[in-house]
Amino acid sequence: MRVLLALLVLLALAQPAAADELRPSSIELSEQAQGRWHLGWKRNLGQPSTGQPETPAYPRNCRPVGEPVERRVAALSVVGNLELRCSGSLAGQRIGWPGLVGEDALVRIVPLDGGAQTHLLTPTAPMAAITGEPGRWQVARSYFELGVIHILEGWDHLLFVIALVLLVVRGWQVVKAATAFTLAHSLTLTAVTFGFFGLPARPVEAAIALSIVFLAVELARGDRTSLTRRWPWAVAFAFGLLHGFGFAGALRDIGLPQGEVPAALVAFNLGVEAGQVLVILAVIVLRLTTRRLVPWVEAPALRTATYAIGIIASFWLIERLIA
């Protein structure tokens, strides 16, 4: 439970406004006309420096037109752009950040023919090879990794899952609630991705914060006869529909590769579930370990975690309502 409390403190110190955004820096190389490409990037600041250039490394058969332009858009990030003229095909060429340290980054290549592809850069693999036509396995692997990143770094979704597991004590109830949440946000994510319906992002973000406040209040009340305690799967399903809009917004920002939309959607959703399962197992193990080794700590630790969750979510709710 100490680890859980430390996690909640870190969440409180994080920038709330970015609570539902993907954290990695990003690069996008988009074709404007035959042989003309636009290189755009967003780089998070505050990471360790290796002395390498901050401008992304672009394909060797491309030449810059003018100088790169950068501007700060927030306290901890900058955006930049550069026009390129490229000769021949980009297939087999490499793009990325050689000096990537301490974070991941996304690379998206968008040619005129619509065959977009997305790659995930890591400090151990900071460069990606551009493929002639992204294969289904490459698409699935990239979007699975993006799904895991989103649930582990999407702090509001993370807090909701933690609160749900703390609220539902018995193992079978946890399974049913997690399954209902998964089914619900999968339905919403699929429907929004294929354009059946959608909601504005800001009201959705505020409602997601409100869902976390609701669970925190239920935890604080400790009423075993409440609807949430008796039917946690129903509450998880209802809020899962809402959180699905948040997942869909993240996927919309990343973009989907033309011709591989079903594979990318399924892989992203599976990645979200994998990250969610990791969080659920971690919370369960921490709680069972505490109950077995230091049982007198469980009750005060649970109260502290409950109020921490409620305070953080309330701050997000107020901030998003004002915004």
Side-chain angles (χ1 to χ4, degrees), residues 7-8 18 37 41 43 67 85 89 95 113 119 122 149 181 186 205 215 222 231 233 235 238 241 275 299:
L7 172 63
L8 294 173
W37 293 76
W41 63 91
R43 186 71 187 263
E67 296 295 324
R85 287 195 179 275
S89 172
I95 184 172
D113 62 12
H119 302 269
T122 66
I149 288 173
F181 183 69
S186 298
E205 291 173 358
L215 289 187
W231 301 96
W233 64 268
V235 174
L241 293 173

Side-chain angles (χ1 to χ4, degrees), residues 1-2 9 25 31-32 48 57 92 119 124 138 160 174 191 194 196 229 231 247 250 265 268 275 277 287 297-298 322:
M1 295 300 285
R2 290 180 179 178
V9 171
S25 300
E31 188 175 14
Q32 308 298 303
H119 302 269
T124 56
Q138 184 272 325
F160 181 87
V174 171
F194 286 103
F196 293 114
R229 298 273 188 175
W231 301 96
F247 294 133
L265 178 61
F268 181 81
V277 169
R287 189 165 189 180
V297 173
E298 182 183 11
I322 292 174

Side-chain angles (χ1 to χ4, degrees), residues 132-220:
E133 177 129 357
R136 184 163 298 177
W137 170 245
Q138 184 272 325
V139 170
R141 183 182 63 185
S142 297
Y143 279 82
F144 179 85
E145 293 171 344
L146 292 172
V148 174
I149 288 173
H150 184 62
I151 191 65
L152 295 182
E153 297 187 347
W155 295 320
D156 44 6
H157 300 304
L158 199 61
L159 273 192
F160 181 87
V161 172
I162 291 173
L164 185 63
V165 177
L166 292 178
L167 185 69
V168 183
V169 180
R170 287 174 290 181
W172 180 237
Q173 281 192 326
V174 171
V175 172
K176 289 194 293 185
T179 301
F181 183 69
T182 295
L183 178 61
H185 73 62
S186 298
L187 290 173
T188 308
L189 174 59
T190 302
V192 173
T193 300
F194 286 103
F196 293 114
F197 55 80
L199 290 176
R202 290 194 180 276
V204 168
E205 291 173 358
I208 288 174
L210 181 60
S211 72
I212 305 169
V213 173
F214 174 83
L215 289 187
V217 171
E218 288 292 289
L219 270 169

Side-chain angles (χ1 to χ4, degrees), residues 31-287:
E31 188 175 14
Q32 308 298 303
Q34 187 67 35
R36 288 180 49 214
W37 293 76
H38 174 79
L39 180 68
W41 63 91
K42 179 181 79 73
R43 186 71 187 263
N44 295 331
L45 302 177
Q47 299 295 336
S49 175
T50 61
Q52 297 284 348
E54 296 298 315
T55 303
Y58 45 80
R60 291 190 175 185
N61 59 340
C62 296
R63 296 291 178 267
V65 178
E67 296 295 324
V69 177
E70 283 194 332
R71 61 184 176 87
R72 180 169 291 201
V73 294
L76 294 176
S77 64
V78 296
V79 296
N81 61 83
L82 178 64
E83 300 302 321
L84 300 172
R85 287 195 179 275
C86 305
S87 59
S89 172
L90 298 188
Q93 298 291 328
R94 297 174 67 79
I95 184 172
W97 261 310
L100 190 65
V101 177
E103 65 168 343
D104 297 332
L106 301 176
V107 176
R108 189 163 182 252
I109 298 95
V110 188
L112 283 175
D113 62 12
Q117 54 188 281
T118 302
H119 302 269
L120 181 67
L121 306 179
T122 66
T124 56
M127 300 291 290
I130 301 173
T131 58
E133 177 129 357
R136 184 163 298 177
W137 170 245
Q138 184 272 325
V139 170
R141 183 182 63 185
S142 297
Y143 279 82
F144 179 85
E145 293 171 344
L146 292 172
V148 174
I149 288 173
H150 184 62
I151 191 65
L152 295 182
E153 297 187 347
W155 295 320
D156 44 6
H157 300 304
L158 199 61
L159 273 192
F160 181 87
V161 172
I162 291 173
L164 185 63
V165 177
L166 292 178
L167 185 69
V168 183
V169 180
R170 287 174 290 181
W172 180 237
Q173 281 192 326
V174 171
V175 172
K176 289 194 293 185
T179 301
F181 183 69
T182 295
L183 178 61
H185 73 62
S186 298
L187 290 173
T188 308
L189 174 59
T190 302
V192 173
T193 300
F194 286 103
F196 293 114
F197 55 80
L199 290 176
R202 290 194 180 276
V204 168
E205 291 173 358
I208 288 174
L210 181 60
S211 72
I212 305 169
V213 173
F214 174 83
L215 289 187
V217 171
E218 288 292 289
L219 270 169
R221 289 175 58 197
D223 183 3
R224 299 290 178 182
T225 63
S226 69
L227 176 65
T228 307
R229 298 273 188 175
R230 288 185 292 114
W231 301 96
W233 64 268
V235 174
F237 185 87
F239 285 134
L241 293 173
L242 178 64
H243 281 250
F245 286 104
F247 294 133
L251 192 56
R252 182 175 56 248
D253 292 340
I254 299 168
L256 288 166
Q258 187 173 351
E260 296 290 350
V261 172
L265 178 61
V266 171
F268 181 81
N269 205 42
L270 289 176
V272 168
E273 300 322 310
Q276 185 175 292
V277 169
L278 288 175
V279 174
I280 291 173
L281 290 177
V283 175
I284 291 175
V285 169
L286 281 171
R287 189 165 189 180

